[in-house]
Amino acid sequence: MSRRTSKPFHVVLVGLLISLSPAHAAVTTGTDAEAQLPYWEIMQGDISVRFVQRLPDQTRGFFQARGFSAADAERVAQSCVFQTIFKNAAPATAKSMIDYDLKQWTVHAGGKKTQLKTREDWQKEWTARGVPPAAQLAFEWSLIPTRQRYGAGDYNWGFSIFNLAPGTRFDLGVVWRENGARRSGRINGIVCAPDVEAPPAAQ
């Protein structure tokens, strides 16, 4: 006759908490094949977000071509711009819904915690500076939305702006909801692109 022993309660509780905890976010970095510039990417569950450096020179050319004065384009170029690709990587047939709000994300640099500079923040500045409405609209649509919902297989891309000087190193706290459950992750050691001249092909 075998003897059955029970595990202490605290051991059972710890095991249960581990089984219920979401997997830690995986963070990778390298060189983006298309941009040929450094990227940082966070993946957890169905979410995938990649941040690809953009050189200030690329940003200058992009916005001057869309009606911005040299001074206004320079204001953006000096603010640490990344091309951002956000995906719900679940198969299209899956029941998966991801929501995010950039206002909940945190930028950690130089011992301070700040937020990204969103479409709404820039709109106030551009209006005060008298930027033409057509240029403002082009700018708005170039940035990743402040809030968005992604079904399975959905994706989007746009610029994210961290309001930091070129070459600054920072950490980013990312927050989202997956099927209503709050999730978070952190990317350490992201670096704003240095202010160097971009070759013509990279414009």
Side-chain angles (χ1 to χ4, degrees), residues 6-187:
S6 60
K7 295 180 180 179
F9 175 75
H10 73 276
V11 174
V12 175
L13 179 60
V14 170
L16 178 61
L17 290 175
I18 292 174
S19 68
L20 292 178
S21 298
H24 290 295
V27 176
T28 60
T29 186
T31 300
D32 184 80
E34 183 175 349
Q36 289 300 299
L37 287 167
Y39 77 84
W40 289 260
E41 184 171 9
I42 184 169
M43 294 175 287
Q44 179 180 318
D46 292 337
I47 193 178
S48 167
V49 192
R50 175 175 288 205
F51 302 90
V52 184
Q53 275 187 356
R54 280 186 61 86
L55 299 174
D57 212 29
Q58 294 173 309
T59 301
R60 293 184 186 102
F62 182 90
F63 286 110
Q64 285 185 45
R66 286 156 180 80
F68 279 76
S69 68
D72 289 331
E74 187 68 16
R75 176 75 182 91
V76 188
Q78 294 295 319
S79 296
C80 187
V81 179
F82 279 78
Q83 178 72 35
T84 304
I85 303 98
F86 196 113
K87 297 179 181 178
N88 181 336
T93 55
K95 292 182 178 180
S96 174
M97 189 63 65
I98 291 175
D99 301 85
Y100 76 83
D101 182 348
L102 295 183
K103 289 292 188 181
Q104 297 177 347
W105 295 17
T106 51
V107 179
H108 304 262
K112 297 180 180 180
K113 183 170 72 171
T114 58
Q115 294 180 320
L116 282 75
K117 197 166 182 179
T118 65
R119 288 176 169 182
E120 294 78 12
D121 299 324
W122 282 105
Q123 193 274 331
K124 294 176 183 177
E125 181 170 335
W126 294 143
T127 300
R129 291 170 71 99
V131 173
Q136 289 195 44
L137 184 62
F139 182 89
E140 178 181 348
W141 284 103
S142 72
L143 266 60
I144 190 167
T146 304
R147 300 170 188 83
Q148 189 65 284
R149 169 171 288 189
Y150 294 83
D154 288 348
Y155 65 94
N156 192 17
W157 61 87
F159 298 151
S160 52
I161 303 180
F162 294 91
N163 211 27
L164 300 169
T168 301
R169 180 180 294 270
F170 67 98
D171 301 337
L172 178 65
V174 181
V175 177
W176 69 96
R177 289 189 176 275
E178 187 170 331
N179 297 323
R182 187 182 187 277
R183 301 282 184 259
S184 64
R186 182 166 172 138
I187 309 175

